[in-house]
Each structure stands twice: as C-alpha cells, then as structure tokens.
Amino acid sequence: MTHTPPAGLVVNNLGVRYGRRSVLAGVHAGPFPHGAVCAVLGPNGSGKSTLLRAMGGLLRATGAVTLDGVDLAPLPLPLRAQHCLYLPQALPEPVRLNVLDAMLAARHATGRQSASTTEDIDAAMACLHDVGIAHLATRSLHELSGGQRQLAGLAQALGRKPRALLLDEPLSALDPYYQQTVMALLRRETTQRGLVTIIVLHDLNMALNQCDLACLLHDGHILAYGSPTDALTPENLRTVYRIQARVDEGLNGQRFISTTGVV
C-alpha cells in the first residue's frame, strides 16, 4: 500500500543550536494544515522565532521540514520562499518607494521577470484591494503608520503567492484596531487561498478566539499542539508561563484567560 504524505507543513526532529546552546531539540510539529491559522505560543526565549526562521530556511537546522510531503531543505532560499515565506517581526526600514512599487518589487523577488507588465500591475492592485489598502497605492512607505505598513508587508507577502506563510509577531507593535484588522485579514485570506498560516503571538486571548490551532513551546520542545482550547489549559499555562490562570467563557461565547497570580 502506497503511503500518502500528510498535507500541510510538517516539522520532523528539528534541532537548532546557537553555538553550544541548544534552542530547539527534537521538535516534531504538525501537520499544520492548509486553510487554518495556527498560533505558535510560549514565553520569551522559548524558541518561537527560532522555530519559524528554521521553517523558512533562514537558520542552520537539523531534521526536516516538509510541505505537502516535499522536503524543503534542498531548495535554494528564493525558491523555498515561493513555497514557504517568512515575514519577520521587524519589517525593514521603509524605503522611498510607494506601496504599489514595493508590491511590484516583491513580485520580482521571485525571479519571474525584471520588468513590470500591465498584468503585474493589475495583480498588485487586486492584492492591495483584497488587503483593504488600494487607496494607499501611491503613498510612500515611509509615510505610512505602523498598522498600514504591516498591511502593506502582508500584501507584498500574499502577492508572491506562497503556499505557507510564517509570520513572526505581526501584531506586537499594533494598536487594537489594527490587531483585529490584521487578524481578520489573515483568517479570510488563509481560508480563501488555502494557505498554511503560522503566526507567533503573545496575546493568549487572541490565539484562543482567532486561531484554529495552537502550538505551545516550552524549553525548546512542543508541550501541546491542537485546538487552542485543548492547548491553553490552566495546567499548561502554569507549566509554560508560570502563572495561575483560568479559562472562562463570556456571554457572547468568546473565551478569555484571566490571570490570578504567578507560580
């Protein structure tokens, strides 16, 4: 009988060291399925960003990362990014390009061609419209607010049409309006495009209510992976975050974690 590899992104026996220090050891995670938003959670120093960077091929790592059964390790980084694209926590300093030109530059980063065509421009404008910032197309990146820049960065990433999107704390510098706007955008585009979307978060309540899956890191290992409700239990929160917490449900059905103290 032929074995069919699991669909989605799978991490097998992943290990990362910084010098003599082991940051991730023997990590098995996934499959992270298409069409689902998965939160990667854990305290500072638990290896969240390292895990995403290793998935994206930006760090030297042992083990394997596969996407729909295909090993990503042999792929050159530009080609790997076409399949599995990493977006860092701190976006590069804005250059003096307008939003549309930045979209076109990101498209050319795939190496498809060097000159923009009418089809390229139409596709870029359609992506900006999907993200809700088509009205900013002629605005310079350095004139945008933090939230607008984050949306522009996401539009550039989506415009490259990856199959998996790795987002390192995209909400950390945003106000509540843009946090909700970005999460709503990610949920919609993930579903419509069938993306594998993996997002590092610190906001446990956002993960609990806005994500389909949660991956909880503890001391370089995966402590829990599954639905946010199953992963974010009081016992796991005590182990990972050293807090006394409870999970309640409001009248509107939203769940929330309340902290009552530290361990």
Side-chain angles (χ1 to χ4, degrees), residues 25-79:
V27 171
H28 297 269
F32 301 99
H34 292 276
V37 177
C38 178
V40 174
L41 307 166
N44 293 333
S46 60
K48 301 183 300 298
S49 295
T50 298
L51 177 60
L52 252 67
R53 287 173 60 82
M55 287 178 177
L58 300 174
L59 293 175
R60 183 177 301 226
T62 57
V65 179
T66 62
L67 182 59
D68 298 330
V70 177
D71 185 4
L72 298 179
L75 301 180
L77 192 57
L79 181 57

Side-chain angles (χ1 to χ4, degrees), residues 98-100 102-103 124-139 141 144-145 147-156 158 177-178 181-182 185 188:
N98 66 34
V99 172
L100 177 57
M103 285 286 298
M125 286 302 301
C127 193
L128 291 175
H129 182 271
D130 289 343
V131 176
I133 57 170
H135 62 290
L136 300 177
T138 59
R139 288 273 299 276
L141 286 172
L144 303 183
S145 70
Q148 290 170 333
R149 279 190 62 210
Q150 190 65 258
L151 289 173
L154 286 172
Q156 291 175 43
L158 292 169
Y177 170 83
Y178 276 109
T181 299
V182 168
L185 164 70
R188 186 189 75 226

Side-chain angles (χ1 to χ4, degrees), residues 181-197:
T181 299
V182 168
M183 279 304 301
L185 164 70
L186 286 174
R187 288 179 60 82
R188 186 189 75 226
E189 294 299 318
T190 296
T191 299
Q192 291 181 355
R193 297 169 182 254
L195 290 170
V196 176
T197 297

Side-chain angles (χ1 to χ4, degrees), residues 61-216:
T62 57
V65 179
T66 62
L67 182 59
D68 298 330
V70 177
D71 185 4
L72 298 179
L75 301 180
L77 192 57
L79 181 57
R80 182 166 177 160
Q82 291 183 36
H83 297 278
C84 185
L85 182 61
Y86 171 82
L87 200 64
Q89 175 183 357
L91 296 177
E93 283 298 313
V95 294
R96 292 188 178 274
L97 287 176
N98 66 34
V99 172
L100 177 57
D101 286 341
M103 285 286 298
L104 295 172
R107 181 176 176 84
H108 296 327
T110 63
R112 289 170 182 157
Q113 68 274 329
S114 58
S116 298
T117 64
T118 301
E119 181 183 354
D120 291 330
I121 295 170
D122 289 345
M125 286 302 301
C127 193
L128 291 175
H129 182 271
D130 289 343
V131 176
I133 57 170
H135 62 290
L136 300 177
T138 59
R139 288 273 299 276
S140 177
L141 286 172
H142 76 277
E143 296 175 350
L144 303 183
S145 70
Q148 290 170 333
R149 279 190 62 210
Q150 190 65 258
L151 289 173
L154 286 172
Q156 291 175 43
L158 292 169
R160 294 172 67 173
K161 298 183 178 179
R163 289 187 290 148
L165 196 55
L166 311 175
L167 304 169
D168 195 353
E169 295 192 47
L171 309 184
S172 61
L174 304 184
D175 62 35
Y177 170 83
Y178 276 109
Q179 287 182 356
Q180 294 295 329
T181 299
V182 168
M183 279 304 301
L185 164 70
L186 286 174
R187 288 179 60 82
R188 186 189 75 226
E189 294 299 318
T190 296
T191 299
Q192 291 181 355
R193 297 169 182 254
L195 290 170
V196 176
T197 297
I198 304 174
I199 175 173
V200 171
L201 289 177
H202 276 295
D203 188 331
L204 300 179
N205 287 314
M206 184 74 77
L208 193 61
N209 291 289
Q210 299 294 330
C211 295
D212 303 297
L213 296 164
C215 178
L216 192 57

